[in-house]
Amino acid sequence: MLFTAGSGATAAADPPERIVSLSPTATEMLFAIGAGDQVVAVDDQSSFPVDAPVTDLSGYTPNVESIAGYDPDLVVVPDGQVRKALEDLGIQVLVLPAATRLAGAYSQIRRLGRVTGHAEDAKALVGEMRADIADLAADVPDAGTRPSTYYELDETYFSADSSTFIGKLLELGGFDNIADEAKNQSPGYPQLSSEYIVDSNPDAVFLADTKCCGQTPQTFGERPGFDALTAVEDGHVVSLDDDIASRWGPRVVELLRQIVKERNRL
């Protein structure tokens, strides 16, 4: 047995040869640590890297028979909904839920490295990410005041506060997050209103709904009342790649780079 799925994923002598990934974040991690040749199938949302073996497998509604059809010796999943059924078939399962902070992302990369036989590659990747992120954080102006920002997850105004992975990146990038002051909202991903955003008048806006929802700086500025927002008037509405902005793997460095770049423009 390679490892106990719910444990720290201790590696054994023989790493898996046929991996199925049902998590886009895990897919990116696997390829980044050099385990791509061991991956035989990935879910229908795993769009990066381009040579990942994309299938019609779903990570949201996984089908045990379809997964087993790829004859995997390891399946990486974002939650435990099919874990027992796969383990009953003798298939090893590794559950990697969405990380809530950078340390969690680093831990998952190292864990995948141990399980797949790429421990040193994973360690090196984490080291590179840490160094890049430290350099970016050091480039943030040490100003007395921090500009405010609105981070849009979709056009119905769902956002992310500072308790989330996204929120921590915004804080690291030198921004105050208007979602933190939203009242009568559960922590994490509050749904704001257009009136709240107008009243908050953010200095910068990040749109993480460009692919899913067709949002652009132009469509954002055309919403009622938004043309008078400081971010719109001064040209600080930033289009993000939805995929990069929602996967806490190696490309999180790219997301932080965009955040810091915009901070330095203010």
Side-chain angles (χ1 to χ4, degrees):
M1 184 171 289
L2 288 167
F3 59 92
T4 302
S7 73
T10 301
D14 299 319
E17 297 179 353
R18 298 184 61 80
I19 302 173
V20 170
S21 171
L22 299 183
S23 161
T25 296
T27 297
E28 295 193 18
M29 290 177 175
L30 286 163
F31 277 81
I33 63 174
D37 290 343
Q38 295 155 258
V39 178
V40 297
V42 301
D43 70 291
D44 56 1
Q45 299 300 307
S46 288
S47 56
F48 187 87
V50 293
D51 55 343
V54 179
T55 69
D56 59 359
L57 293 176
S58 172
Y60 298 111
T61 57
N63 181 284
V64 173
E65 290 184 358
S66 297
I67 298 168
Y70 288 93
D71 192 27
D73 47 14
L74 173 65
V75 178
V76 185
V77 293
D79 57 56
Q81 61 178 311
V82 292
R83 173 179 166 184
K84 185 178 185 303
L86 289 171
E87 290 181 337
D88 286 346
L89 295 175
I91 300 171
Q92 301 300 309
V93 179
L94 178 59
V95 180
L96 291 182
T100 58
R101 58 191 62 214
L102 283 168
Y106 298 149
S107 177
Q108 290 185 358
I109 291 171
R110 290 193 298 265
R111 189 174 182 185
L112 280 173
R114 293 194 301 271
V115 169
T116 62
H118 295 273
E120 290 303 313
D121 296 300
K123 181 180 178 181
L125 175 60
V126 169
E128 292 172 7
M129 291 176 64
R130 285 184 183 276
D132 289 342
I133 287 173
D135 287 344
L136 288 170
D139 196 35
V140 174
D142 186 16
T145 58
R146 295 159 63 93
S148 61
T149 189
Y150 162 58
Y151 192 100
E152 180 166 290
L153 296 175
D154 67 26
E155 73 273 35
T156 66
Y157 304 120
F158 273 98
S159 190
D161 66 26
S162 293
S163 70
T164 66
F165 197 113
I166 297 167
K168 295 182 190 305
L169 288 183
L170 293 172
E171 184 177 5
L172 190 61
F175 283 98
D176 281 336
N177 189 343
I178 68 168
D180 291 345
E181 300 301 322
K183 305 299 183 184
N184 302 317
Q185 292 281 354
S186 57
Y189 298 95
Q191 185 176 25
L192 309 181
S193 67
S194 59
E195 293 80 9
Y196 178 84
I197 294 167
V198 169
D199 289 343
S200 299
N201 193 22
D203 298 302
V205 171
F206 294 97
L207 300 176
D209 52 358
T210 58
K211 288 183 176 180
C212 75
C213 315
Q215 297 306 300
T216 66
Q218 179 177 350
T219 63
F220 183 83
E222 291 172 349
R223 298 176 191 176
F226 281 26
D227 59 333
L229 291 178
T230 297
V232 173
E233 289 185 333
D234 295 348
H236 293 292
V237 180
V238 181
S239 296
L240 300 175
D241 183 311
D242 297 19
D243 294 339
I244 296 175
S246 62
R247 301 174 187 174
W248 316 135
R251 292 195 293 169
V252 70
V253 175
E254 295 182 34
L255 177 57
L256 181 59
R257 181 172 289 114
Q258 285 187 277
I259 292 171
V260 173
K261 178 180 179 181
E262 189 60 25
R263 172 64 185 87
N264 287 337
R265 290 184 62 234
L266 291 166

